[in-house]
Amino acid sequence: MRHHTRDELHTVAGIHANALRCPMTRDERIARWAELLEQDPDRALATLQETEYEPDIIRDEMREDGSPITIAFEDPVFRGEGLADDSYGEAKRFFEFTDCQLHYIVCSCHSGVTVRADAAAERVRDVAKPHPGLIGMLWDALLIFR
């Protein structure tokens, strides 16, 4: 068996740096999306109109140029990770969000026709936080007042 340096392997096998890296976790994808949005915090981003009223098949195809989802799709790292386009359905799949979570981030009913990029970043982070549910909140309250 002959051993090769990494440089030699690049010329022979066409190894790419991305092939040596593990896929991003959901939390890493969400954190990166928020960071991308915060790069231009004052930018006005387009929202999607009334996503909650559309049937699933229509909602999944919804997109707007310059939306928070577009910011994610413009990132070569996300495209390399498998983000195929800037549609609602693709963002839902890629970031592993529920309809309620993605609706909160991109729907016009929360901010109007546009949303500031920093506000969208805050929403991305907010929906990604674990929310304990009613029993967990009651338990936490009991612990506080012990």
Side-chain angles (χ1 to χ4, degrees), residues 12-145:
V12 174
I15 295 174
H16 300 283
N18 289 346
L20 303 174
R21 196 174 61 74
C22 293
M24 296 174 83
T25 65
R26 177 183 187 264
D27 290 342
E28 289 170 335
R29 290 190 305 265
I30 291 167
R32 182 173 179 85
W33 189 17
E35 290 166 4
L36 291 169
L37 290 165
E38 289 172 333
Q39 288 178 355
D40 188 1
D42 296 325
R43 182 175 175 182
L45 301 173
T47 57
L48 304 180
Q49 301 300 305
E50 301 181 341
T51 62
E52 69 273 28
Y53 296 116
E54 298 295 339
D56 291 347
I57 195 157
I58 301 295
R59 182 176 41 240
D60 285 349
E61 297 297 319
M62 291 177 76
R63 62 165 305 281
E64 286 290 334
D65 290 336
S67 75
I69 303 169
T70 303
I71 301 302
F73 182 63
E74 289 172 349
D75 181 45
V77 172
F78 281 158
R79 289 195 311 274
E81 289 284 320
L83 184 61
D85 60 40
D86 64 346
S87 68
Y88 180 98
E90 181 61 7
K92 182 178 156 185
R93 179 200 66 79
F94 184 76
F95 293 105
E96 301 176 43
F97 283 137
T98 65
D99 279 311
C100 289
Q101 290 172 321
L102 192 55
H103 170 263
Y104 177 66
I105 297 168
V106 301
C107 190
S108 63
C109 69
H110 294 286
S111 60
V113 177
T114 62
V115 61
R116 283 176 44 115
D118 60 347
E122 186 177 323
R123 289 180 183 168
V124 166
R125 285 195 174 100
D126 186 45
V127 299
K129 290 179 196 169
H131 296 286
L134 182 58
I135 293 174
M137 289 175 13
L138 290 172
W139 181 254
D140 289 343
L142 286 172
L143 292 176
I144 289 171
F145 295 111

